[in-house]
Amino acid sequence: DGKEPLLISINKSNIRFEEFDKPESLRVLSTHSLTSSFKSGVEHYDRDRFKIVFFFKPSGAIYFRKVIDLAKEYGFEVGYDPIEESQNIIFSLPD
């Protein structure tokens, strides 16, 4: 589809937003206010240029339906994968 991925990983307390290979794009927000955190995390991304790829840890699975629905509500194409709780994902290396 030619769109760039906005990579979002979710656990029970945090939702991390990051573009691939752009460490300066990393934003970590609280899941405590999930709707406002999600909105804040995606508001600067053009849905015609970006698609969202979610990575859910087991502790963040409780937010699955809510964030999928929010992403679609904001007009993003969505993909997702489960990951292990202990798995650390590095989408980019710091300069």
Side-chain angles (χ1 to χ4, degrees):
D1 63 8
K3 293 184 178 182
E4 296 178 48
L6 172 57
L7 307 160
I8 301 176
S9 55
I10 302 173
N11 64 26
K12 69 178 178 179
S13 57
N14 295 316
I15 181 167
R16 297 171 49 101
F17 301 82
E18 188 172 0
E19 294 175 53
F20 183 72
D21 207 22
K22 293 186 180 175
E24 70 279 3
S25 71
L26 176 63
R27 292 188 68 199
V28 180
L29 302 171
S30 172
T31 55
H32 180 69
S33 302
L34 187 64
T35 301
S36 61
S37 289
F38 185 81
K39 181 179 179 181
S40 177
V42 301
E43 67 186 351
H44 298 292
Y45 290 95
D46 182 349
R47 53 223 41 47
D48 293 327
R49 190 172 152 219
F50 288 89
K51 62 184 172 188
I52 293 177
V53 179
F54 289 104
F55 295 92
F56 289 93
K57 293 190 175 191
S59 65
I62 58 172
Y63 305 118
F64 177 82
R65 179 56 41 208
K66 181 68 174 175
V67 294
I68 296 292
D69 289 346
L70 284 169
K72 290 180 178 179
E73 184 179 309
Y74 288 120
F76 287 98
E77 292 179 36
V78 175
Y80 53 86
D81 279 311
I83 59 174
E84 293 180 24
E85 193 70 40
S86 61
Q87 187 173 355
N88 290 322
I89 299 179
I90 300 172
F91 297 119
S92 52
L93 297 174
D95 294 334

